[in-house]
Amino acid sequence: RLSLQSRMPDIMNLRWLVYDQNLYEQQKEHFDERYRPVFSDGKEVVLENQQVLPKAWLVTRVEQEADPAKRLQRMLAPAFDPNRLAVVESDPPFALAGTDQAGKVQVNAYKPAEMSLAAETTANALLVVGKKYYKGWQAAVNGKPADIVPVNHILRGVYLPPGNHTVAFRFDPLPFRIGTWLTLGSFAVFALVAAREWLFRRRSG
């Protein structure tokens, strides 16, 4: 479903394409100004996506569609503009403004398991993050837990009211926590056994 002519590469933060040089020359007419060649070594060419979206952005319009096939069909349509519209699986918790100006977002920290953003919203809006939706992620808005919703079929988002917000994402799934506890428990058992062995040898010596 990753059509290069759709907006899917843009919402997935796909900025660079590495293409076989000969294949690119054969298919060059299928690439418009959106994909600009920036490097070539004769064997491969690197194309830059000029319409790639940032790691996070705001929208004030959503379209609810529970059927996965229909969601993808809607997003692959040429008229789909992810800058202004998001496709969601359920109705929003409050009415959105539906305006073109939603506010601005700044990414303060970006790590594999953590992400922090500062959002200034002028109206009810949906914060869309260009990262895959997964149930192991948790969100907090201004220090309070917030629900993460699936957006645009594969991404995640958080609804925000008007105002200034600090939005934090943290990856903390249950299997990861269980693995951490087991690892710490193993270290504790090892430390106890090592200490017991040291005391036994000291008394014997």
Side-chain angles (χ1 to χ4, degrees):
R1 300 296 183 127
L2 185 60
S3 170
L4 296 179
Q5 281 68 42
S6 71
R7 298 304 303 270
M8 293 294 285
D10 306 336
I11 69 172
M12 295 173 62
N13 300 138
L14 198 158
R15 183 173 183 178
W16 310 100
L17 297 177
V18 181
Y19 229 69
D20 178 83
Q21 182 73 50
N22 294 330
L23 187 60
Y24 172 70
E25 294 298 335
Q26 297 173 12
Q27 302 178 355
K28 185 184 297 185
E29 66 275 8
H30 297 293
F31 292 91
D32 50 23
E33 296 181 355
R34 173 180 171 186
Y35 296 100
R36 181 170 60 90
V38 294
F39 174 80
S40 174
D41 62 359
K43 296 181 180 180
E44 295 176 326
V45 58
V46 179
L47 308 175
E48 182 180 8
N49 183 3
Q50 304 294 303
Q51 295 183 4
V52 64
L53 290 170
K55 297 188 184 301
W57 65 95
L58 295 167
V59 296
T60 59
R61 295 185 178 93
V62 297
E63 184 176 301
Q64 191 270 335
E65 179 55 68
D67 187 283
K70 292 182 179 179
R71 276 201 308 270
L72 284 172
Q73 183 179 7
R74 176 68 180 89
M75 295 172 60
L76 290 172
F80 176 65
D81 184 0
N83 285 297
R84 299 183 177 183
L85 175 71
V87 182
V88 296
E89 300 181 11
S90 57
D91 291 330
F94 44 68
L96 298 185
T99 60
D100 291 335
Q101 299 297 327
K104 57 183 180 180
V105 181
Q106 178 180 336
V107 178
N108 294 330
Y110 187 83
K111 300 178 181 179
E114 294 181 3
M115 189 176 184
S116 177
L117 308 99
E120 181 181 339
T121 53
T122 57
N124 290 340
L126 173 62
L127 170 66
V128 184
V129 179
K131 297 290 290 183
K132 185 177 179 181
Y133 173 85
Y134 186 72
K135 292 183 178 180
W137 282 94
Q138 300 176 0
V141 177
N142 298 329
K144 298 181 179 179
D147 293 330
I148 301 177
V149 297
V151 181
N152 291 341
H153 193 68
I154 56 174
L155 306 182
R156 59 177 180 258
V158 174
Y159 287 100
L160 299 174
N164 296 323
H165 309 283
T166 298
V167 185
F169 291 91
R170 185 169 63 95
F171 186 68
D172 189 22
L174 180 60
F176 179 78
R177 292 200 301 270
I178 293 175
T180 302
W181 295 334
L182 290 176
T183 301
L184 293 177
S186 299
F187 280 129
V189 171
F190 175 79
L192 289 173
V193 171
R196 180 178 176 275
E197 182 67 18
W198 178 79
L199 289 174
F200 177 77
R201 291 190 178 187
R202 183 178 180 183
R203 290 173 181 176
S204 300

